[in-house]
């Protein structure tokens, strides 16, 4: 059972993907973290973010089972991830590894979340969700998350960063951020996590039953 969850930055897709994975007893991969791992490694090595060869070398060796969410989720790394994510050969290298993850673990299935899961990585997923929320809501949630981890965050700066990143992700030539034709749109603006989770489970159940 493969479940594809896509959506823009800070839409809540990661939380929903984790909750769905627990609910259905499936493995979960936050594919954003794989792009973040590549961006962070290039930054740490002082390598240019458009050095595709160096990026691919990282993509081929990074351990998808052991991505350090706390370290990689730092706000600044999102920008580096979004820049490396425009390189087609780097994407191909990561997509191959993401698909291998999805097929692994005994083949029971997996939940993957990202930007191109329903369109490129898992086009045959049984359920596809495209999770959105209005930009101000997403910025507020991301800022709250940063503060909760002890950092400081300004909603207005975060909003500007998210909008810039969404634009780059939506405008890129390869695997842009967009809903698959057969994705179900879930707008979580004004929903708390429990409401969004219930809605997501209902969508997956309907998709499984072939009623979408
Ligand atoms: O989801 P997250 O915000 O961690 O993703 C960081 C960046 O990685 C995104 O802005 C996007 O450019 C890139 N990404 C992608 N395709 C995915 C997941 C993430 O291009 N499947």
């Amino acid at each position: 059972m493969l479940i594809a969850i896509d959506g823009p930055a800070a839409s809540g897709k990661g939380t929903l993907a984790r909750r769905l994975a627990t609910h259905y007893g499936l493995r979960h991969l936050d594919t954003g973290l794989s792009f973040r791992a590549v961006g962070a490694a290039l930054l740490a090595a002082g390598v240019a973010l458009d050095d595709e060869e160096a990026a691919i070398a990282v993509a081929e060796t990074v351990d998808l089972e052991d991505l350090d969410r706390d370290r990689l989720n730092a706000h600044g790394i999102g920008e580096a991830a979004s820049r490396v994510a425009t390189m087609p050969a780097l994407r191909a290298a990561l997509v191959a590894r993401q698909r291998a993850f999805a097929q692994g673990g005994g083949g029971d299935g997996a939940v993957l979340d990202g930007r191109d899961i329903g369109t490129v990585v898992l086009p045959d997923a049984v359920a596809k969700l495209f999770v959105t929320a209005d930009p101000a809501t997403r910025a507020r949630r991301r800022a709250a998350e940063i503060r909760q981890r002890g950092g400081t965050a300004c909603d207005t700066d975060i909003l500007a960063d998210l909008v810039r990143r969404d634009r780059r992700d939506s405008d890129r030539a390869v695997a842009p951020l967009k809903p698959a034709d057969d994705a179900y749109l879930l707008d979580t603006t004004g929903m708390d996590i429990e409401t969004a989770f219930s809605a997501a489970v209902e969508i997956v159940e309907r998709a499984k039953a072939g009623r979408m």
Side-chain angles (χ1 to χ4, degrees):
M1 171 156 135
L2 297 172
I3 301 178
I5 319 259
D6 291 299
S11 57
K13 64 184 184 309
T15 307
L16 284 179
R18 269 193 304 282
R19 293 277 305 258
L20 285 172
T22 304
H23 182 77
Y24 289 107
L26 299 170
R27 300 153 75 236
H28 167 237
L29 177 64
D30 173 350
T31 63
L33 287 183
S34 61
F35 287 92
R36 285 171 179 265
V38 173
L42 297 189
L43 286 176
V47 174
L49 291 173
D50 60 357
D51 185 334
E52 197 159 22
E53 217 172 295
I56 291 170
V58 179
E60 284 172 347
T61 51
V62 69
D63 183 359
L64 295 191
E65 308 275 351
D66 189 27
L67 296 165
D68 183 348
R69 190 162 168 259
D70 285 341
R71 181 179 69 86
L72 295 173
N73 258 337
H75 189 63
I77 296 179
E79 178 71 14
S82 148
R83 287 179 55 192
V84 300
T86 59
M87 298 188 285
L90 180 262
R91 296 199 69 86
L94 279 180
V95 167
R97 306 228 28 228
Q98 292 160 2
R99 285 188 182 137
F101 177 97
Q103 303 305 332
D108 289 345
V111 182
L112 268 61
D113 71 272
R115 303 291 188 290
D116 61 342
I117 309 303
T119 51
V120 175
V121 182
L122 303 175
D124 297 330
V126 65
K128 298 180 184 179
L129 273 78
F130 193 86
V131 184
T132 58
D134 70 40
T137 301
R138 293 191 283 121
R140 229 179 5 256
R141 286 179 187 160
R142 176 54 52 90
E145 208 177 278
I146 293 172
R147 284 186 209 109
Q148 208 176 13
R149 276 190 261 125
T152 49
C154 159
D155 289 19
T156 323
D157 292 350
I158 301 266
L159 177 60
D161 287 353
L162 291 185
V163 169
R164 187 178 58 242
R165 194 140 67 85
D166 288 349
R167 191 170 304 129
R168 186 186 293 125
D169 290 347
S170 304
D171 289 351
R172 71 180 172 225
V174 185
L177 165 68
K178 67 164 189 199
D181 290 341
D182 51 351
Y184 190 94
L185 265 57
L186 178 61
D187 185 341
T188 66
T189 309
M191 283 187 187
D192 62 18
I193 180 62
E194 293 307 328
T195 311
F197 176 62
S198 301
V201 170
E202 199 184 314
I203 292 164
V204 172
E205 289 300 318
R206 279 163 52 197
K208 271 171 61 188
R211 282 188 281 122
M212 306 216 38

